[in-house]
Amino acid sequence: AQLIELAEHVDLRGRGGAAFPFATKLRAVRVAASARKCKPVILVNGCEGEPGSAKDAMLLLRSPYLVLSGALLAARALGARKIVVGVADDGQAAKSVAAAARAEPQLRRLVRVAQVPGRFVSGEGGALVNAVNGHAPLPPGRKRRASENGVDGLPTLLSNAETFAQLAVLGLLGADGYRSAGTPDEPGTLLLTVGGSAARPAVVEVPAGVPLGTVLDICEARAQDGVLVGGYHGAWLPAEVAYEVPVSRAGLEGVGGTLGAGVVLSLGAGTCPLGEVARVARYLAAESSGQCGPCKLGLPGVARALSAIVDGSGGMDALETTRRAAGAVRGRGACHHPDGTARFVLSALDAFTADLAAHVFRGGCGLPVRGVLPLPGEPGQSRLL
């Protein structure tokens, strides 16, 4: 009850993308465990399937005890006897967490590390629960709640690594100390992964409410052609908007963006904006779960139409097809992957109007596609670690 009250007092939200109130999760797990007279499980999502994100991996590599301390705090409050930490299968974070747990007797008995494939959809919470339970690491759909039926079928407190790190900081500082940073409505700090055309890509910690332009300047990120906020399920902001907007949930939503998992990717001059977007759209179509029509048919259709705009073969017909196909998948998928992909593509069409006109009416913009936006398996993708 004390931990729920503390989380409610500062409105602690999940940092994995959905920004769900953490106190609500705590309360739901407590109620479910009490009703079933069982011990719940703590599940830390450190899989981070988003290609542009490195904040959770950075925490697990550099500060594993901060994450594990938050998980231990929740375990003690809920009476849990198991903490599972899900990580991508590259091995680095798994070794760091396992070593930290072995060195601390209280953690040694509780912590188990689960490695899952490093796919985009594998980072979704339900996909992680499936993987830990020995099933395919795919999202199960929207109706299953981990708080009721998670790891081993038990009520499970599921959140990402940064959320548990924030819980540890909150427990250490108390509500007043935690509120000393950030804004009155969104206290605390945020971890952002800044990349794209940034000369100094980095994971940075900033108080909520700081101008995004300040973050871009820290990382020497030029945003002439636009900035993507919220990652590949996020939205594009024009440069003039991006520099002034405050980094907060309310601030970014007010200009049509989203904080999401804290990914900020700048797109400097010298690369074709729509070509970059088309690369990612093809990747997102290939990364779907393949469990529903919007993913199996809709997303490949969006990617094909967008590619036709980029190569100059489609003209206005391809533009209308892209808009229609992206709009058709929203709200109809078994998970949120189609919704996020549609937001990413449609916001690009709104943000890159000059480049769009060049491709539609002149057959191209004359710029190469330099691969500024990160995708798995490409050079330079592990620079932040």
Side-chain angles (χ1 to χ4, degrees):
Q2 289 177 327
L3 191 60
I4 291 172
E5 182 181 359
L6 189 61
E8 281 183 329
H9 191 65
V10 301
D11 192 21
L12 181 63
R13 300 293 185 104
R15 305 303 173 89
F20 195 80
F22 193 72
T24 302
K25 285 190 176 184
L26 282 167
R27 185 177 287 110
V29 173
R30 181 180 66 169
V31 169
S34 177
R36 294 173 54 182
K37 295 180 172 57
C38 64
K39 298 293 183 181
V41 177
I42 309 300
L43 179 56
V44 181
N45 189 348
C47 296
E48 213 162 28
E50 172 76 53
S53 184
K55 64 185 179 68
D56 288 338
M58 185 72 78
L59 277 170
L60 293 173
L61 286 168
R62 304 282 180 87
S63 301
Y65 282 116
L66 192 63
V67 178
L68 293 175
S69 292
L72 182 60
L73 180 59
R76 286 176 173 171
L78 292 168
R81 294 178 179 173
K82 181 187 293 185
I83 297 171
V84 181
V85 182
V87 297
D89 58 4
D90 63 2
Q92 297 182 68
K95 292 178 182 177
S96 176
V97 173
R102 283 196 303 269
E104 172 55 54
Q106 293 183 73
L107 294 173
R108 190 185 308 130
R109 297 191 300 270
L110 296 173
V111 174
R112 167 193 164 198
V113 179
Q115 293 181 259
V116 302
R119 291 189 59 202
F120 188 89
V121 294
S122 299
E124 192 267 345
L128 174 59
V129 171
N130 274 341
V132 173
N133 286 338
H135 306 305
L138 298 174
R142 298 183 177 184
K143 295 183 179 179
R144 185 185 301 177
R145 292 186 176 90
S147 59
E148 299 172 357
N149 182 7
V151 175
D152 298 331
L154 296 169
T156 299
L157 180 67
L158 166 63
S159 203
N160 78 316
E162 187 194 348
T163 309
F164 284 103
Q166 292 284 349
L167 184 65
V169 173
L170 174 60
L172 178 67
L173 299 180
D176 291 341
Y178 193 85
R179 283 186 170 278
S180 65
T183 69
D185 292 333
E186 297 183 35
T189 63
L190 302 167
L191 286 180
L192 304 174
T193 311
V194 185
S197 63
R200 298 176 60 195
V203 174
V204 297
E205 182 180 16
V206 297
V210 70
L212 181 57
T214 301
V215 177
L216 296 174
D217 288 344
I218 290 171
C219 296
E220 298 180 14
R222 296 182 178 181
Q224 290 99 321
D225 285 331
V227 179
L228 179 66
V229 292
Y232 293 159
H233 278 178
W236 288 96
L237 303 179
E240 62 273 16
V241 173
Y243 275 105
E244 301 298 329
V245 66
V247 180
S248 65
R249 295 190 308 275
L252 291 170
E253 289 169 3
V255 295
T258 177
L259 179 61
V263 177
V264 177
L265 300 174
S266 64
L267 198 62
T271 189
C272 170
L274 285 181
E276 296 283 352
V277 173
R279 289 174 57 243
V280 176
R282 290 191 293 270
Y283 160 76
L284 293 174
E287 283 292 299
S288 81
S289 302
Q291 300 179 114
C292 63
C295 264
K296 289 194 292 186
L297 303 175
L299 295 188
V302 171
R304 285 193 299 270
L306 190 57
S307 294
I309 296 175
V310 173
D311 65 25
S313 65
M316 286 298 296
D317 289 342
L319 174 58
E320 290 304 314
T321 300
T322 302
R323 291 191 184 278
R324 186 168 58 250
V329 302
R330 288 187 296 186
R332 299 179 56 228
C335 68
H336 293 289
H337 185 54
D339 298 350
T341 302
R343 178 168 53 228
F344 169 78
V345 170
L346 291 173
S347 71
L349 297 182
D350 292 336
F352 303 132
T353 53
D355 191 58
L356 182 61
H359 283 275
V360 169
F361 297 112
R362 299 200 302 272
C365 64
L367 292 173
V369 181
R370 300 188 181 278
V372 170
L373 298 182
L375 289 178
E378 295 188 349
Q381 298 309 304
S382 61
R383 288 179 297 170
L384 297 179
L385 303 181

